[in-house]
Amino acid sequence: MLPAIITSILDTDAYKLHMQQAVFHRYPEATVVAQFRCRSDDLLGQYADEIIYQVKLMESLVLSDDEFNYLSNISFFKSDYLNWLKKWRFNSNLLTIKNEDGKLSITIKGKWLDVILWEVPLLAVISEIVHKDRSPNIGVNEALARLKDKLALFNEKTANMDMSGFNLMDFGTRRRYSFAVQEAVVSYLKTHFNNFHSTSNYLLAYRLGLTPVGTQAHEWFQAHQRLSHNLQDCQTNALQVWLDEYPHDLGVALTDCITMDAFLRDFDLHFASHYQGLRHDSGDSIEWGEKAIAHYQQLGIDPKTKLLVFSDSLNFDKALNIYHHFNHRVKLSFGVGGFLACDIPSKEANTKALNIVLKLTECNDQSVAKLSDSPGKTISQDLDFIDELKRTFSVKI
């Protein structure tokens, strides 16, 4: 068994704490069910016992005084939430982890307030366990050598280009090779990559003096499918409640819970004016960006005042293609995950990032769904509800 993989509550994506605070204030009694899925169909069931062991270790984690003080100095965190978080603990009884004929089955059920922080560290645990088993002889040195090669090629390709608008962010936590690799990669980028100042990981932001970034995930919009009185109002409710919680901060909206087209129909002048920008996470990135720019223009908003964040399986080449297409038309940021935190050449095993997710399937004992712009990312087990969602939002995928 590996020693404890997760050693801090802050070793998570920033949007988890941001959403948890909103849930704490708005929906403290809401219940949810979340389920694990490996999109690449890897047989990960053999690791169930070691995952259970790591999950048990997480129950001892507490927010330290220094971590509490760090969060307290971030303007949008409220004292009531932070005082509650200081007493909060991971509860492994919410999880059911099984090896089902070689496949890994994980279900998490409980109050949304408690379930919400499990996803990212749990996926990071799974990723590190699998990679340490499959390729135990590689790690930080190999990761940094790989990164230096990538940066050299990137610098060669961009030597005569204006890259001042190319803002890189680390989004690697959930599918990293290991925490040590992610920390080393992020630390190196801070020193050697212009316009790298941000990470989605609160622990790394705290340790390395970076800006923590992240707003909300699909689960925020999914849960509102059952927290709203009318299904047709779920996106506008999700957007407005977020604004109510964060009127001056965290103003980037995720667009693809019920497809980009359905999102834009609800993203009216009020929301477009108040939100800083939009985040792309599925579907064709160029098509998505063109739709976003056209939407802002139709509303009479200058796209150059808005931010588009791209975060769908990016590597440097994909990011550069997007940058060349949209530069000077809109503000741009690129959240890169597995390409930085889990891409290490190895003859002994595949060290590419695992295609693993943990998504909501229920809220308040009713099905929820995600209708992604990439059909393979659609998540729900309730076909009737998917049909209802498609009818309600005129989705034809």
Side-chain angles (χ1 to χ4, degrees):
M1 296 287 186
L2 294 172
I5 292 172
I6 306 299
T7 61
S8 169
I9 289 175
L10 294 190
D11 189 8
T12 191
D13 281 339
Y15 66 15
K16 283 296 180 175
L17 294 179
H18 302 162
M19 288 190 296
Q20 189 185 46
Q21 175 172 259
V23 174
F24 174 79
H25 287 139
R26 313 284 167 167
Y27 309 113
E29 299 303 318
T31 61
V32 297
V33 176
Q35 293 187 326
F36 171 83
R37 177 183 294 182
C38 182
R39 291 174 176 150
S40 53
D41 294 322
D42 282 348
L43 295 177
L44 304 180
Q46 62 181 301
Y47 302 106
D49 288 343
E50 190 160 0
I51 294 166
I52 292 170
Y53 173 77
Q54 288 291 334
V55 161
K56 288 289 187 182
L57 293 180
M58 289 171 61
E59 291 187 319
S60 65
L61 296 177
V62 297
L63 198 67
S64 72
D65 289 341
D66 286 344
E67 291 171 340
F68 177 85
N69 292 333
Y70 166 71
L71 295 180
S72 298
N73 287 319
I74 297 175
S75 61
F76 50 75
F77 280 125
K78 307 297 191 298
S79 59
D80 60 344
Y81 165 67
L82 293 182
N83 287 328
W84 173 87
L85 182 63
K86 202 163 191 316
K87 299 176 183 177
W88 184 85
R89 302 290 183 272
F90 284 103
N91 178 6
S92 67
N93 291 327
L94 304 181
L95 282 70
T96 302
I97 304 173
K98 297 179 181 178
N99 179 356
E100 295 186 345
D101 298 323
K103 292 187 177 295
L104 180 62
S105 170
I106 302 177
T107 300
I108 311 178
K109 184 175 183 179
K111 285 188 177 182
W112 192 13
L113 200 54
D114 295 316
V115 172
I116 199 166
L117 285 196
W118 273 107
E119 177 191 357
V120 175
L122 178 62
L123 293 180
V125 160
I126 294 168
S127 183
E128 185 156 347
I129 287 172
V130 172
H131 287 302
K132 287 296 186 182
D133 176 64
R134 293 178 176 177
S135 51
N137 298 317
I138 62 175
V140 169
N141 292 336
E142 292 78 9
L144 289 180
R146 175 72 159 167
L147 177 63
K148 291 173 184 178
D149 289 342
K150 289 178 179 179
L151 292 181
L153 182 59
F154 180 87
N155 291 334
E156 180 181 327
K157 289 182 176 180
T158 60
N160 299 314
M161 301 177 186
D162 174 17
M163 299 300 294
S164 59
F166 189 96
N167 296 295
L168 180 66
M169 304 178 291
D170 161 53
F171 276 17
T173 300
R174 68 188 59 214
R175 296 169 188 160
R176 65 196 182 197
Y177 180 86
S178 67
F179 176 77
V181 163
Q182 186 187 16
E183 183 176 39
V185 165
V186 170
S187 181
Y188 190 88
L189 287 169
K190 178 188 176 183
T191 304
H192 295 90
F193 195 100
N194 291 333
N195 292 346
F196 178 83
H197 312 290
S198 307
T199 174
S200 65
N201 185 294
Y202 254 116
L203 183 60
L204 293 179
Y206 165 59
R207 286 186 177 182
L208 300 176
L210 296 167
T211 300
V213 288
T215 52
Q216 74 287 123
H218 296 103
E219 67 183 286
W220 180 255
F221 290 92
Q222 286 180 275
H224 279 84
Q225 293 165 8
R226 297 308 188 180
L227 296 170
S228 303
H229 293 301
N230 299 304
L231 183 59
Q232 65 198 36
D233 298 328
C234 66
Q235 289 196 127
T236 55
N237 287 343
L239 288 166
Q240 186 57 53
V241 172
W242 191 262
L243 276 183
D244 293 343
E245 182 71 21
Y246 300 109
H248 308 297
D249 302 281
L250 306 182
V252 174
L254 182 60
T255 65
D256 70 328
C257 189
I258 315 178
T259 75
M260 177 63 159
D261 291 340
F263 175 87
L264 290 179
R265 287 194 290 270
D266 285 335
F267 197 65
D268 59 16
L269 180 60
H270 165 69
F271 292 126
S273 299
H274 283 82
Y275 274 85
Q276 175 190 5
L278 304 172
R279 178 163 75 90
H280 171 263
D281 197 51
S282 65
D284 184 87
S285 55
I286 302 299
E287 180 183 354
W288 176 91
E290 291 293 349
K291 286 182 178 180
I293 288 174
H295 188 70
Y296 281 126
Q297 291 173 331
Q298 184 179 15
L299 294 174
I301 296 173
D302 183 356
K304 291 181 181 179
T305 67
K306 297 299 179 178
L307 172 68
L308 298 185
V309 177
F310 293 86
S311 62
D312 182 26
S313 303
L314 292 183
N315 56 35
F316 282 158
D317 286 339
K318 290 180 182 178
L320 275 176
N321 181 56
I322 297 167
Y323 179 72
H324 291 323
H325 187 90
F326 292 112
N327 190 29
H328 302 307
R329 299 172 61 195
V330 66
K331 298 176 185 177
L332 296 165
S333 285
F334 301 93
V336 181
F339 177 72
L340 294 174
C342 191
D343 182 23
I344 311 170
S346 171
K347 295 180 180 179
E348 56 187 275
N350 178 11
T351 58
K352 297 292 184 181
L354 299 174
N355 197 349
I356 52 177
V357 295
L358 191 115
K359 295 293 184 182
L360 289 197
T361 56
E362 295 180 22
C363 178
N364 287 345
D365 299 316
Q366 295 178 294
S367 295
V368 299
K370 171 190 170 190
L371 298 180
S372 169
D373 286 303
S374 297
K377 289 186 174 183
T378 294
I379 290 180
S380 179
Q381 297 174 329
D382 187 336
L383 298 181
D384 290 337
F385 180 65
I386 288 179
D387 288 341
E388 181 184 359
L389 205 58
K390 288 181 177 180
R391 289 194 303 271
T392 301
F393 288 93
S394 302
V395 174
K396 297 181 180 179
I397 61 172

